[in-house]
Each structure stands twice: as structure tokens, then as C-alpha cells.
Amino acid sequence: RSVIAVSPIVAGAALKGPADRLLVELGREASVLGVAQWYEDLVGTLVVDEADRESCPAIEQLDMGALATDTIMADRSVTRALAATLVELPIRLP
């Protein structure tokens, strides 16, 4: 699974939009682990916010890479840093 995804959930809530509510409606918990479980067959690495760092071991138990970093793009420097991190991540092949 060579797909890298950034979780839309931070500390149990969507930053914007209905992602947290949709996860619950789909029978998942509104958390980064719920995101990982939903995308388990598609995503090789899930990038989560620093606020969810403690969930990385549980995500890795799904045979998915996990990386915690600042994902809240509050300014251009954070946006650039996140983009650089994503570009440099190794692709996990099946």
C-alpha cells in the first residue's frame, strides 16, 4: 500500500467538515485509530497530529506506518514543513 494519508481528525475532532460525525455514522470511533481502521486496506502510512502521537503504536498494529507531526497548518511555515515531511516519507510497498 503505497498511499500516504493525513488524518482529518485531531484529538477526536475534525478540524473542518463532518469527518468525525461521518466516522461515527459508519460505525467507527471519531479518532485517528478510527481513520486508520477505515483506510486499513488502502493506506500504507497515516500521518497524525502531535496531539495523537500516543495512537501511533495502535495504528502500527494494523500493519500501517504511523508518523506524528504538526498537521494543523496555522501558517505557511507549518504548511511547508508538513509538505516537506510528506514528500520525504518512504513509500511502503506491499
Side-chain angles (χ1 to χ4, degrees):
R1 299 173 312 232
S2 60
V3 175
I4 297 169
V6 179
S7 176
I9 304 294
V10 175
L15 289 178
K16 186 175 182 181
D20 51 352
R21 294 184 308 273
L22 289 173
L23 280 167
V24 171
E25 288 178 22
L26 294 168
R28 306 287 181 177
E29 63 181 64
S31 69
V32 294
L33 186 56
V35 172
Q37 290 167 337
W38 184 254
Y39 288 119
E40 185 174 1
D41 294 331
L42 300 172
V43 172
T45 302
L46 183 64
V47 178
V48 302
D49 192 76
E50 285 289 347
D52 294 301
R53 177 176 290 281
E54 73 281 350
S55 296
C56 287
I59 293 167
E60 290 168 347
Q61 289 294 313
L62 299 173
D63 194 29
M64 181 183 296
L67 173 73
T69 190
D70 191 0
T71 64
I72 301 173
M73 297 179 281
D75 59 50
R76 287 185 181 199
S77 66
V78 175
T79 302
R80 283 189 198 107
L82 178 59
T85 297
L86 295 174
V87 168
E88 293 172 10
L89 274 175
I91 301 295
R92 292 172 48 103
L93 298 175

